[in-house]
Amino acid sequence: MPIYEFQCTDCNHVFEHLTTTSHNLETPECPKCKSLQVRKLVSASAVRVGKAGPSLPGAAPSCSAPSGFS
């Protein structure tokens, strides 16, 4: 289930909304002011990287390193 980020155009509150594919077209209401005047924000996806490198199995720290998959 995707999580989308929205901003209320009435009160400028930014919030996340978890949705299913069947509810993907529904506009969520602002949890702060209950307005339906919201817009979907463009969110960047993230990968957590620790001191030892990427935390995903087989993920390489750079494009030139082997991925661990064959």
Side-chain angles (χ1 to χ4, degrees):
M1 290 188 282
I3 297 176
Y4 294 105
E5 194 172 31
F6 291 88
Q7 182 175 21
C8 178
T9 58
D10 289 339
C11 71
N12 290 324
H13 180 66
V14 176
F15 62 97
E16 293 178 340
H17 180 72
L18 177 68
T19 184
T20 62
T21 54
S22 61
H23 296 103
N24 198 17
L25 300 177
E26 291 181 12
T27 301
E29 73 176 23
C30 174
K32 186 175 179 182
C33 71
K34 308 298 183 203
S35 172
L36 292 176
Q37 301 302 314
V38 298
R39 64 183 179 103
K40 190 185 295 186
L41 300 177
V42 177
S43 301
S45 57
V47 175
R48 181 175 293 172
V49 178
K51 291 181 181 178
S55 61
L56 297 175
S62 69
C63 294
S64 62
S67 68
F69 294 104
S70 49

